Amino acid sequence: AAPRSGPFRAGELALAEVRRKYNATLKLLCRLAAEAVLSSPGGVLPHRDIIGRLPGQVLRTAGGARLLLRRPSLDEYVLLMPRGPTIAYPKDISALLMMMDIHPGDTVLETGSGSGALSLFLSRAVGPKGRVLSYEIRDDHHNLAKKNYRHWCSAWEIGHMDKWPDNVEFILKDISTAAADMKSVILDAVVLDMLSPQCALPIVHPSLKEGGVCAVYLANITQVIDLLDRIRSCKLPFLCERIIEVTHRSWSVLPA
């Protein structure tokens, strides 16, 4: 990615951090517009006071509260963007990307666009020469994922020297009916984030490169067992390498 370029501009995303009690931090995401205001528990701050300022500065609201303003990272954006279904969390996405060993230029299939969180991380991982195919069966989820993706891309172009790669194809279709589509695709990796991933495996495995990785994101061990039973009963050519749970523990370090 190109370096961030200078002060905030109208149209890009800004993240405001407000210190709360007990060392807690409240994060507020906004898209800058000259006539808009940022509302916080400590008062309002006109966007025109942010536009033209360099990120990393602390500004005061009308009520005297101190806000740290900066550009949001991708993981902060996906946690604060509008959601329909529950998103794949950045800690889990990081593990998925590592397990799939995705490289720039890869072609990756995603089933379950959801709110678009994983789509954005895959987009960055495969780069301008790569390709992400994102299948979604629900119309509302499909539209929200596209909206969140475009929202991030347009803001990125304003605040950076180059464009975010336009490499995600959002497809409104049940993956279990996409066998004909898969015949013309060679996939480097597959990630399944759906209620019944076992229904997608017979469709996607003929297009997955020999030795390619299929990562599956599931909520509980019962779903894992159902998936493994289906692989075994259908004699699908998959080897279960590992099953992991990703934990994340925050520390608070304070003076005694």
Side-chain angles (χ1 to χ4, degrees):
R4 293 166 176 80
S5 54
F8 284 114
R9 297 177 175 89
E12 69 171 306
L13 295 169
L15 184 75
E17 292 189 8
V18 189
R19 288 290 180 180
R20 306 298 299 275
K21 292 181 179 179
Y22 311 112
N23 206 38
T25 301
L26 172 66
K27 295 184 178 181
L28 305 170
L29 183 69
C30 66
R31 186 157 194 158
L32 297 175
E35 303 304 319
V37 296
L38 172 66
S39 297
S40 77
V44 298
L45 178 66
H47 285 193
R48 64 177 177 270
D49 291 350
I50 304 172
I51 296 170
R53 301 269 191 150
L54 287 170
Q57 296 189 40
V58 176
L59 304 180
R60 289 190 179 274
T61 67
R66 292 162 56 88
L67 304 182
L68 172 63
L69 275 299
R70 57 184 179 83
R71 291 185 173 99
S73 62
L74 182 55
D75 66 305
E76 288 168 328
Y77 173 72
V78 301
L79 290 173
L80 296 170
M81 70 186 185
R83 298 186 199 175
T86 301
I87 64 168
Y89 283 87
K91 68 179 180 66
D92 299 320
I93 294 175
S94 298
L96 286 169
L97 294 176
M98 179 182 65
M99 293 168 71
M100 290 187 288
D101 196 27
I102 295 175
H103 293 77
D106 282 353
T107 298
V108 181
L109 173 72
E110 171 195 20
T111 64
S113 304
S115 299
L118 181 55
S119 308
L120 278 162
F121 279 93
L122 289 172
S123 173
R124 183 167 68 178
V126 303
K129 295 182 179 180
R131 184 184 180 198
V132 179
L133 303 174
S134 183
Y135 278 79
E136 174 57 59
I137 191 173
R138 287 187 50 165
D139 183 74
D140 54 341
H141 294 177
H142 169 77
N143 291 329
L144 180 59
K146 287 197 299 182
K147 182 178 179 181
N148 284 335
Y149 178 80
R150 290 169 182 165
H151 192 185
W152 172 262
C153 292
S154 61
W156 175 275
E157 292 175 20
I158 297 171
H160 294 75
M161 298 292 289
D162 64 351
K163 293 184 178 181
W164 187 270
D166 183 15
N167 55 7
V168 180
E169 182 180 354
F170 292 97
I171 303 166
L172 180 59
K173 193 172 190 178
D174 185 349
I175 189 63
S176 64
T177 66
D181 301 353
M182 293 294 102
K183 290 181 180 179
S184 60
V185 179
I186 298 176
L187 302 170
D188 295 286
V190 172
V191 56
L192 308 178
D193 182 9
M194 53 190 293
L195 289 176
S196 300
Q198 52 268 32
C199 299
L201 288 177
I203 305 298
V204 303
H205 86 77
S207 299
L208 184 61
K209 285 182 178 179
E210 193 79 17
V213 177
C214 176
V216 186
Y217 187 53
L218 294 170
N220 58 64
I221 193 62
T222 303
Q223 291 174 296
V224 174
I225 293 170
D226 290 342
L227 175 64
L228 296 178
D229 283 344
R230 180 64 178 269
I231 292 173
R232 187 180 303 109
S233 62
C234 294
K235 298 181 179 179
L236 295 173
F238 286 101
L239 169 67
C240 180
E241 294 188 71
R242 53 180 168 157
I243 302 167
I244 65 170
E245 177 183 0
V246 182
T247 58
H248 185 92
R249 180 183 297 167
S250 296
W251 285 56
S252 180
V253 180
L254 301 172

